[in-house]
Amino acid sequence: MREIPGRRRRLLSKRNGGRPELLEQALTFAREWQWPVLPGVAPDPQGRARCACPDPECVVPGAHPFDPGLLAATTDERMVRWWWTNRPTAPIVLATGGSAPCAVSLPALAAARALAALDRGGMRLGPVVAAPHRWSILVAPYSMEQLGELLYAKDFVPGSLRFHGEGGYIALPPSETGHGRIRWERAPLPGSAAPWVPDVEAVVDAVVDALTRTGVSAPEF
């Protein structure tokens, strides 16, 4: 029987719980951009502010790996398709570091003010991921030694800054987590090539300077 593409798309949407964009985005990250991804544990369906993992006090509900673990992150298209066909609403988790982007994150209010200051100063940024409570600025991969030297040279680094390098992870859009939807504050430019990201030194220098100049005392959470 001849396939009707529109009907197939509708059936796929229903089979995927109405969220085929998660599979499509996961494939873009893995296949087109070569970013290793894996499904997050997802929020607890009985209470979305809680996590479906065994930890009753999980601080990142739904926004972290659990089964499979972080080491399973891959760019393999077949594995990605299998995961999100079977778990169509699972958050998309990026394993940071290695050849994949790393990230610098800070509380949302401080991040919004810092980004406004960076824009005024002409600082070029790549993609910025926004969760309800924290924003993550994607940066080029770095080593722990490189990060340690960078921070050691600073007189002051806000305690609210977090660094997602080798062995770390962040949730990517359009994931739904226990704290809410993940979105792009600065979306990647359209196209198949992996987005450009700045060096971590430039981002940390600019963010610390912006927070200092704007008088933002970012809370440490």
Side-chain angles (χ1 to χ4, degrees), residues 14-97:
K14 290 179 180 178
R15 187 177 65 194
N16 283 354
R19 296 296 305 279
E21 72 271 22
L22 281 168
L23 171 59
E24 293 165 5
Q25 286 299 313
L27 286 172
T28 294
F29 299 141
R31 181 181 59 196
E32 306 296 341
W33 298 356
Q34 291 297 293
W35 291 3
V37 297
L38 75 164
V41 65
D44 186 339
Q46 302 302 316
R48 295 195 62 82
R50 300 195 304 269
C51 190
C53 76
D55 183 359
E57 299 180 357
C58 180
V59 296
V60 283
H64 66 90
F66 175 65
D67 182 18
L70 187 62
L71 292 179
T74 184
T75 60
D76 183 79
E77 177 181 350
R78 293 170 299 177
M79 193 73 246
V80 170
R81 284 189 182 278
W82 188 87
W83 275 333
W84 271 275
T85 298
N86 288 278
R87 299 168 60 178
T89 62
I92 303 170
V93 173
L94 167 69
T96 55

Side-chain angles (χ1 to χ4, degrees), residues 133-151:
H133 299 306
R134 295 186 71 86
W135 293 5
S136 299
I137 303 171
L138 298 189
V139 298
Y142 59 78
S143 67
M144 292 305 295
E145 292 78 11
Q146 180 184 4
L147 179 63
E149 291 176 2
L150 171 64
L151 299 182

Side-chain angles (χ1 to χ4, degrees), residues 42 49 61 69 105 114 142 162-163 168 184 195 212:
S105 72
Y142 59 78
R162 294 179 187 167
F163 300 91
W184 294 112
T212 302

